[in-house]
Amino acid sequence: LPYTPVIEGRAVTAMRLRSAHVSAVMAVWVCAMSVPLTTICAQDSVPSTYIAFAESRDTRRATVSLVNPATGATSSVGSQELKPFGFLAAPTWSPDGTAIAVTASPPRGHYDLFILPRNGADAIQVTHDALEELHPAWSPDGQRLAFSILPREGAEAGVYTIGVDGTNLTLLTDPSVEAQDPSWSPDGSKIAFTLPTAGDRFSSAVAVMDSDGSNVVVLTPTHHSTGAAAWSPDGSHIAYMSDQGGRGGIYVMGSDGGAARQITGSGWWP
């Protein structure tokens, strides 16, 4: 599943897998950017903020739930349960907080993009095809979604954008490099993404491009497993996961690259 670090001012929110079983338990960690992983900094969360996460009860039922990081209290998004969907992932808040975009699929089916209204209204299906669409990210104006399509027969893999009404599908990246994990900058001018690097299927880097797909710049070393970029609210920093320090962890760097600071000392999937 794609777990992405989310920067909230002075804190980074991440998720860690605690069980490899089907009924895996996910732990939400909120840590200040200057403290080690062993410190749980729930007090750095805004009490009114909720973190959305996908929850699968079995292979046929899945929901999106919310957790208040200050209290640990959980609730569902409205009263919906996306039957017969057996898989949900990458729940992502709209900029105004009224909806959540997700990747969803029926059992043994393909992945499509859906929007779940926060008020519990019916889910809105954005894509309707046999492709594999993952990692939705809202544009700051709430009018478009960036996402990635997995490589498969008949599909051009890469980072795309689409209107929330399902129109104006646009491929932004070279399909030969199979880019993924897009993340829109707060001002909407750029998109960060994971760029697989040549010669080694386990190596990747964080890159940034203009929101129309032009001016691609690689920001991190290309010989590590690196990706899942997330922008700070002011656009000045990018958090990402990498093994560039020898072990998996979360790093923060300036939005133009340069020296990165490791803020967790263990863990692979933030």
Side-chain angles (χ1 to χ4, degrees):
L1 301 182
Y3 311 126
T4 305
V6 179
I7 302 180
E8 298 179 357
R10 296 291 301 169
V12 174
T13 302
M15 302 191 77
R16 302 186 66 200
L17 188 63
R18 297 179 62 186
S19 170
H21 299 295
V22 174
S23 58
V25 177
M26 302 306 302
V28 178
W29 300 80
V30 183
C31 297
M33 291 193 293
S34 60
V35 302
L37 176 67
T38 51
T39 302
I40 306 304
C41 304
Q43 68 273 17
D44 286 342
S45 297
V46 179
S48 60
T49 298
Y50 288 88
I51 298 172
F53 63 97
E55 183 176 27
S56 294
R57 292 181 173 86
D58 54 42
T59 59
R60 297 177 299 280
R61 295 178 299 165
T63 62
V64 171
S65 298
L66 308 178
V67 60
N68 184 324
T71 66
T74 61
S75 61
S76 296
V77 177
S79 59
Q80 54 73 39
E81 187 170 84
L82 289 184
K83 296 178 180 179
F85 291 101
F87 178 85
L88 286 171
T92 306
W93 288 101
S94 63
D96 63 4
T98 62
I100 296 173
V102 297
T103 290
S105 75
R108 297 178 298 279
H110 58 270
Y111 306 122
D112 274 311
L113 302 182
F114 290 78
I115 293 175
L116 310 181
R118 177 67 179 86
N119 62 11
D122 290 343
I124 301 166
Q125 187 168 354
V126 179
T127 58
H128 302 76
D129 52 48
L131 304 179
E132 306 290 358
E133 289 120 357
L134 299 171
H135 315 127
W138 294 84
S139 62
D141 63 6
Q143 298 303 303
R144 297 183 67 75
L145 293 173
F147 64 98
S148 51
I149 288 182
L150 296 180
R152 63 176 297 172
E153 185 176 355
E156 290 187 310
V159 172
Y160 288 72
T161 58
I162 193 171
V164 294
D165 60 356
T167 63
N168 299 319
L169 177 66
T170 304
L171 172 62
L172 299 182
T173 57
D174 181 349
S176 68
V177 298
E178 301 178 6
Q180 55 187 305
D181 304 329
S183 177
W184 231 302
S185 66
D187 65 3
S189 65
K190 296 185 180 297
I191 295 174
F193 62 99
T194 300
L195 179 69
T197 50
D200 181 353
R201 68 186 183 92
F202 296 107
S203 297
S204 57
V206 171
V208 170
M209 61 184 168
D210 291 348
S211 59
D212 62 359
S214 61
N215 299 319
V216 175
V217 178
V218 178
L219 300 183
T220 63
T222 59
H223 54 284
H224 300 287
S225 292
T226 299
W231 298 80
S232 63
D234 64 0
S236 64
H237 291 82
I238 294 174
Y240 61 95
M241 67 178 187
S242 180
D243 64 355
Q244 66 188 65
R247 296 180 63 184
I250 304 214
Y251 292 74
V252 174
M253 65 179 173
S255 59
D256 57 354
R261 182 171 74 258
Q262 186 172 5
I263 62 171
T264 68
S266 63
W268 176 228
W269 291 107

